Amino acid sequence: MEINREMLEKAAQEVKEPMIAFAQKIIRRRSDTGHEKETADAIYEEMQKLGFDVVNRDRTGNVIGILKGDGSEAALMFNCHMDQVDPGDLSAWEYDPYGGIIADGYIHGRGASDTKGTIATQIYLGAMLKNLNVKLKRDLIFTFVVEEEPGDMWGALRMCQDYLKDTPIAFCISGESTSMDIALGHRGKLEVQVISKGKNSHSSAPWLGINAVSKMAPMIEAIDEMAKNMPQDDIFKGSLSIINIECHPGFNCVVPDTCTINIDYRFLVNETVESILAKFQKIIDELEAKDPESSYEVRVRQLEHTSYTGVHEFAELNKPSFVTSIDNEYVQKTIGALKKVGQNPKTYYWDYGTDAAYFVKECGITCIGYSPAEEEYCHSPKDRIKISLMEEALVGYAAICEDIACE
């Protein structure tokens, strides 16, 4: 297939209506983390209906579709996640979060921007390429994973280790929101837990115990000071936020013996888990030296997962930072392909984290983000995706495939 903007735009028009209908269909299927089955079933059935060469589901419930190439070069992968966050306060929504309603040029609903609208776009890219009878030198692998929202990349990890372990993949395009621009990486995210340890007593006689909540107060003050002087490099500035606090037993007339805080620590490429934990350990050492009654522990938070297929595991909430060079050959080909069809994407870095970090750091796959979804609507009661951008992304995705994956 020789690149031709008019031809691609016409082909995109031919799949526009079923693409929109499918986006509505999966937005109407609630898929909170761990409960993605109905959405996964719909995706599986749609790719089968559209004639993908391979449609599979791994043991964890990730859904994979493949358009086969001649195998002469490593695959091009597209990726999105199927799970969504809870809609929260329903009164804050103008449109039913599970209505998939079309209004003002958008499809509205929870997950539309993160990432169900892009899932529909990527799947119908496959349909569009089949309609164009393109000849592929690379397999196109479409991967839709479970349990991305918790932030530990567990769904992506299971898919790569269980299903794609021996599959050579050269380049991945993440469908996380980019507003048609190109994301080249993001900071890392480590969820750190600090636990203060005390001693129970009846709360009417607190002098008999050691209040773990009170002992946490100077720790919080020290962490707030740390937040004022976070590391910075030429691309990123680190940040941290205390996002949760709880104590045990936390009821009746008992002085609590433990207090735990969770810290969302966003870090730079050159930071490591060990170097980050060492910062907290330094605070612990200083506080314990000042107050012999104080006792603390620091660790990486572990999250328990049970997929909708029943796979049960724990995973550390550790998502690395990554940067893909703008000079990378696949990035340059992507930019060139998009310019050929009238798009002029800027490059930037996501504020949030993505499963792309796993593909880059653990699998050695070059990865970028390129998507019709807009970040401002993610996780908000205005969750939506613009239909015209879905059409543009179809053309853009096809142009990228022509330059990178076609004979």
Side-chain angles (χ1 to χ4, degrees):
M1 179 180 72
E2 185 176 347
I3 192 74
N4 181 305
R5 178 178 176 180
E6 183 179 344
M7 177 179 62
L8 293 181
E9 289 176 347
K10 181 181 177 183
Q13 280 294 314
E14 291 173 356
V15 300
K16 173 184 173 181
E17 293 307 320
M19 174 185 70
I20 293 169
F22 182 65
Q24 290 178 286
K25 181 177 183 177
I26 56 176
I27 289 167
R28 290 168 181 155
R29 297 187 177 203
R30 186 163 186 159
S31 54
D32 298 54
T33 302
H35 302 278
E36 302 94 339
K37 184 180 187 305
E38 289 188 359
T39 296
D41 288 348
I43 290 169
Y44 186 97
E45 291 161 6
E46 197 76 3
M47 289 194 292
Q48 280 194 321
K49 182 182 80 175
L50 293 171
F52 279 65
D53 299 317
V54 176
V55 181
N56 246 318
R57 189 187 322 242
D58 69 14
R59 71 185 185 98
T60 312
N62 301 302
V63 181
I64 301 100
I66 302 174
L67 296 182
K68 299 291 288 183
D70 65 16
S72 60
E73 296 193 33
L76 167 59
M77 182 168 80
F78 293 88
N79 174 256
C80 283
H81 62 88
M82 298 183 288
D83 61 325
Q84 59 182 64
V85 296
D86 188 276
D89 180 6
L90 297 182
S91 68
W93 290 77
E94 181 180 4
Y95 300 99
D96 178 357
Y98 298 106
I101 293 166
I102 295 175
D104 306 317
Y106 290 87
I107 309 172
H108 299 261
R110 173 54 82 223
S113 63
D114 188 25
T115 58
K116 290 181 174 180
T118 308
I119 288 174
T121 308
Q122 291 183 352
I123 287 174
Y124 272 85
L125 163 68
M128 178 177 161
L129 294 176
K130 284 186 71 67
N131 290 347
L132 289 167
N133 294 313
V134 299
K135 295 188 181 301
L136 297 169
K137 61 185 178 184
R138 304 178 189 270
D139 287 358
L140 301 184
I141 304 177
F142 298 81
T143 58
F144 306 111
V145 302
V146 299
E147 307 213 20
E148 184 275 344
E149 290 292 358
D152 57 7
M153 311 180 295
W154 181 70
L157 178 154
R158 288 270 52 88
M159 178 184 70
C160 291
Q161 292 190 4
D162 295 343
Y163 189 86
L164 296 176
K165 185 176 181 180
D166 299 318
T167 303
I169 299 170
F171 186 41
C172 173
I173 300 175
S174 167
E176 295 279 6
S177 303
T178 72
S179 302
M180 304 296 288
D181 289 322
I182 295 172
L184 294 176
H186 56 66
R187 296 175 298 171
K189 176 193 172 186
L190 189 70
E191 194 160 330
V192 178
Q193 285 188 318
V194 177
I195 303 97
S196 66
K197 301 173 184 179
K199 178 183 175 184
N200 289 143
S201 71
H202 198 290
S203 57
S204 67
W207 56 86
L208 297 177
I210 299 173
N211 194 314
V213 174
S214 298
K215 296 300 182 184
M216 186 61 81
M219 174 62 70
I220 290 174
E221 290 179 356
I223 290 171
D224 285 343
E225 285 300 310
M226 184 196 298
K228 297 176 184 178
N229 297 286
M230 296 296 286
Q232 186 169 1
D233 60 24
D234 293 338
I235 300 174
F236 301 125
K237 180 175 174 58
S239 67
L240 68 80
S241 303
I242 297 173
I243 57 174
N244 187 57
I245 182 167
E246 59 185 27
C247 69
H248 177 270
F251 61 87
N252 295 337
C253 303
V254 183
V255 168
D257 61 356
T258 63
C259 179
T260 303
I261 58 172
N262 293 350
I263 302 115
D264 180 323
Y265 188 104
R266 303 284 168 153
F267 61 95
L268 313 184
V269 174
N270 64 352
E271 292 185 273
T272 65
V273 173
E274 292 74 22
S275 69
I276 294 166
L277 293 183
K279 294 182 179 183
F280 291 92
Q281 187 61 50
K282 183 173 184 291
I283 296 173
I284 288 172
D285 294 343
E286 291 171 354
L287 293 179
E288 289 181 346
K290 290 178 183 177
D291 178 4
E293 282 194 333
S294 67
S295 177
Y296 304 93
E297 176 188 348
V298 62
R299 64 191 183 196
V300 178
R301 182 184 167 206
Q302 286 214 338
L303 192 66
E304 185 174 10
H305 291 272
T306 302
S307 74
Y308 74 86
T309 60
V311 176
H312 180 260
E313 286 183 350
F314 287 83
E316 285 192 342
L317 279 157
N318 173 22
K319 178 177 292 183
S321 175
F322 80 94
V323 172
T324 298
S325 171
I326 194 171
D327 296 322
N328 178 278
E329 63 171 313
Y330 294 114
V331 176
Q332 286 300 307
K333 286 182 178 181
T334 295
I335 293 170
L338 294 176
K339 286 183 175 180
K340 288 178 187 177
V341 292
Q343 298 180 24
N344 190 30
K346 66 177 176 60
T347 58
Y348 77 109
Y349 301 93
W350 282 300
D351 283 333
Y352 54 79
T354 72
D355 280 344
Y358 187 84
F359 305 135
V360 173
K361 291 292 191 175
E362 300 299 327
C363 305
I365 301 168
T366 299
C367 198
I368 64 165
Y370 170 71
S371 163
E374 298 167 273
E375 185 175 344
E376 65 181 295
Y377 300 127
C378 294
H379 295 201
S380 85
K382 291 187 176 180
D383 205 344
R384 64 191 69 185
I385 189 160
K386 196 170 188 178
I387 292 170
S388 62
L389 294 184
M390 293 172 72
E391 294 178 67
E392 286 183 42
L394 273 175
V395 173
Y397 282 143
I400 295 167
C401 289
E402 193 279 337
D403 267 20
I404 292 176
C406 293
E407 294 180 359

